[in-house]
Amino acid sequence: MGNTLDIIIVCILRIFVLLYLYQTLYLIVGLFCKPKRFIAENFHRYAVLISARNERAVIANLIESIKNQDYLSELVDIFVVADNCTDDTAVVARKAGAIVFERFDERQKGKGYALNYLLGMIKQQYGPDYYEGYFVFDADNILEKDYISQMNTVFDNGYSLVTSYRNSKNYSDNWITSGYGLWFLREARYLNNARMILGASCVVSGTGFLVHKDIIKRNGGWNCFLLTEDIQFSTENIIRGDKIGYCADAMFYDEQPVRFIDSWNQRLRWSKGFYQVFFRYWKDLAKRIFMEFKFSCYDMFMTLLPGLLATILIILACLGVVAAEDTSSKVLMDSLTSLALYSVVASYVSFFVMGLITTLTEWKKIYCNTQKKIFYLFTFPLFMFTYLPISIVALFAKIHWKPIPHSVAVTANQIKGQ
């Protein structure tokens, strides 16, 4: 029986490897292929959408970085929705040069509802066709000076959805902020960049993206309200056949949580949101995978697949096999202990290698000293391991949107000077 269980475990591990093998191609493409670049013939009119809740400490820096873009200023308007604020975010944003609307609704909380309200106000005052595209940012973001110009090149070449290169304002603070930062850098170069080069659809990740007016009109505003509205938005558009582009040269920075409790709350919401999106859309994704052979739907399915849940089901299946046969508890424990040890070691090595490759290739874009860059390579797998309890809790807990405090008020030049 021990051999039978070992064979089952090995087969399951091989299946997981095969399912994610395509990401090895992503890694090779990200390492050796140059990003796609375009030339724009037209300058489009954009609205910048910012949802802010008690963000007085950071929002002026974002607005300043938008107003200092090398893009034609008369083609860019900045809109802020001060969402259920109890501070003077609205006043600070107006003084900085934004058009501000205030929203108070304690029943419909979350970024999705705030964006939908803001889009409704813009439609009411400017009409549905005044702006050709809408940028979406979080209040703590900072843009490089050429961000909008670079995004315009991709948008002008037919991409109705475009995401960008996400960097961190406070990578160097501790193992938590560096963990976030390294993951987002990896996501930019070795996921979205590779997808773009290979002609697959990219995935919007929270903030720093551009949407064509026709998509907003088709959706009747912003129609995604799950806990991870960005992932829901990506999934819906991929199912419809829209291709999300990526601009490797458009860089922005956002602030990562420093305290573990804030990180826990944020990633708990993300994990719950992934579950919500997976269970709502997996049938539609599967249908397009098997009936229409849509690779982007397969990629999205694997991105959403709750790996922990699948692992738990596998363990239960193994226990079922054991229960069906006459075997000793020692044989079972030995096999499961071996599996656990192998999983921990293999995961640590995988995350370390992932972090190492990303750190080496993005070295000049990681703004902290050399000693910290090296040290955070060893803590990155530990950061990723903390997703294990988060994923378990998210599976059963009832979770509501909670704001994450932001306080790092810096410019892009100050970030690069760290």
Side-chain angles (χ1 to χ4, degrees):
M1 178 59 203
N3 290 334
T4 302
L5 187 58
D6 289 341
I7 291 171
I8 294 172
I9 291 171
V10 169
C11 289
I12 290 169
L13 291 173
R14 287 177 178 174
I15 291 171
F16 266 83
V17 170
L18 287 173
L19 288 173
Y20 286 100
L21 189 61
Y22 74 96
Q23 293 200 7
T24 303
L25 176 61
Y26 283 179
L27 175 63
I28 295 170
V29 169
L31 271 172
F32 299 108
C33 297
K34 293 183 179 180
K36 277 190 175 182
R37 291 185 168 89
F38 302 90
I39 296 175
E41 296 182 359
N42 304 291
F43 294 96
H44 300 274
R45 183 180 296 278
Y46 298 115
V48 176
L49 311 181
I50 306 167
S51 174
R53 180 166 184 172
N54 294 338
E55 300 281 13
R56 72 172 315 278
V58 295
I59 195 165
N61 292 88
L62 169 58
I63 295 170
E64 181 183 5
S65 74
I66 298 169
K67 294 179 75 67
N68 290 336
Q69 291 289 296
D70 61 10
Y71 197 75
L72 297 170
S73 60
E74 60 267 27
L75 295 180
V76 179
D77 290 327
I78 306 168
F79 294 90
V80 172
V81 52
D83 188 36
N84 290 306
C85 290
T86 57
D87 66 0
D88 59 345
T89 293
V91 174
V92 173
R94 286 193 185 98
K95 286 183 178 179
I99 301 166
V100 181
F101 298 98
E102 297 185 65
R103 173 181 180 267
F104 297 95
D105 189 335
E106 286 294 336
R107 186 176 61 87
Q108 293 184 325
K109 294 182 180 180
K111 183 177 174 181
Y113 293 109
L115 287 176
N116 190 51
Y117 171 84
L118 184 54
L119 285 166
M121 297 303 296
I122 293 172
K123 180 181 178 180
Q124 179 180 317
Q125 296 191 15
Y126 297 84
D129 296 307
Y130 185 73
Y131 298 103
E132 296 171 82
Y134 298 88
F135 283 97
V136 178
F137 297 110
D138 290 338
D140 60 294
N141 297 163
I142 295 291
L143 313 186
E144 282 288 357
K145 189 176 183 63
D146 62 345
Y147 182 92
I148 293 179
S149 295
Q150 295 292 351
M151 292 287 277
N152 184 68
T153 64
V154 182
F155 186 83
D156 189 55
N157 279 270
Y159 285 88
S160 56
L161 289 153
V162 189
T163 189
S164 55
Y165 189 104
R166 185 175 187 173
N167 208 333
S168 295
K169 291 165 70 173
N170 57 334
Y171 187 100
S172 65
D173 280 0
N174 60 25
W175 68 281
I176 299 170
T177 59
S178 63
Y180 278 99
L182 204 49
W183 177 261
F184 290 138
L185 293 176
R186 182 253 179 183
E187 181 181 63
R189 176 156 182 168
Y190 295 106
L191 292 180
N192 280 336
N193 177 53
R195 289 165 175 147
M196 184 69 171
I197 293 170
L198 293 170
S201 181
C202 303
V203 176
V204 168
S205 180
T207 181
F209 61 94
L210 172 60
V211 186
H212 196 282
K213 67 175 182 180
D214 289 346
I215 292 179
I216 298 299
K217 289 167 67 177
R218 180 187 69 193
N219 295 342
W222 186 269
N223 66 337
C224 296
F225 306 108
L226 297 180
L227 287 173
T228 47
E229 77 290 325
D230 54 327
I231 300 301
Q232 182 186 7
F233 181 72
S234 297
T235 304
E236 284 201 352
N237 284 285
I238 288 172
I239 289 172
R240 287 195 182 102
D242 297 321
K243 188 175 289 185
I244 303 172
Y246 168 73
C247 183
D249 296 316
M251 183 187 293
F252 76 100
Y253 307 86
D254 72 338
E255 181 180 340
Q256 313 308 335
V258 176
R259 301 190 308 162
F260 186 77
I261 183 61
D262 294 327
S263 175
W264 174 278
N265 289 333
Q266 184 182 65
R267 290 185 289 149
L268 192 63
R269 174 175 61 83
W270 290 354
S271 296
K272 188 70 171 184
F274 266 74
Y275 287 139
Q276 289 176 339
V277 176
F278 179 78
F279 290 120
R280 176 175 292 193
Y281 296 101
W282 74 269
K283 290 182 181 179
D284 291 327
L285 288 169
K287 178 181 178 181
R288 281 156 180 77
I289 292 168
F290 293 108
M291 298 184 67
E292 301 175 22
F293 306 104
K294 298 290 187 181
F295 173 75
S296 290
C297 287
Y298 174 77
D299 187 16
M300 196 71 225
F301 185 94
M302 297 309 299
T303 299
L304 292 171
L305 182 68
L308 177 66
L309 183 60
T311 302
I312 292 172
L313 293 174
I314 289 168
I315 293 173
L316 291 175
C318 291
L319 291 175
V321 171
V322 172
E325 302 204 17
D326 183 20
T327 184
S328 68
S329 59
K330 184 178 184 304
V331 172
L332 172 62
M333 289 305 298
D334 287 346
S335 295
L336 293 182
T337 299
S338 298
L339 175 61
L341 289 174
Y342 173 83
S343 299
V344 170
V345 174
S347 297
Y348 186 93
V349 172
S350 298
F351 287 133
F352 181 84
V353 171
M354 181 192 300
L356 176 63
I357 293 172
T358 304
T359 298
L360 291 176
T361 56
E362 308 305 284
W363 186 271
K364 293 182 179 180
K365 298 174 183 177
I366 299 175
Y367 300 113
C368 70
N369 63 50
T370 300
Q371 291 81 2
K372 285 187 176 181
K373 289 181 187 179
I374 296 172
F375 175 71
Y376 290 145
L377 284 175
F378 295 92
T379 61
F380 176 64
L382 303 180
F383 172 81
M384 297 304 297
F385 282 161
T386 60
Y387 268 106
L388 180 61
I390 288 172
S391 298
I392 294 173
V393 173
L395 189 60
F396 302 102
K398 187 175 182 180
I399 298 166
H400 300 284
W401 181 85
K402 295 180 181 178
I404 303 296
H406 298 119
S407 59
V408 181
V410 294
T411 65
N413 287 334
Q414 289 172 329
I415 294 168
K416 290 182 284 188
Q418 294 183 75

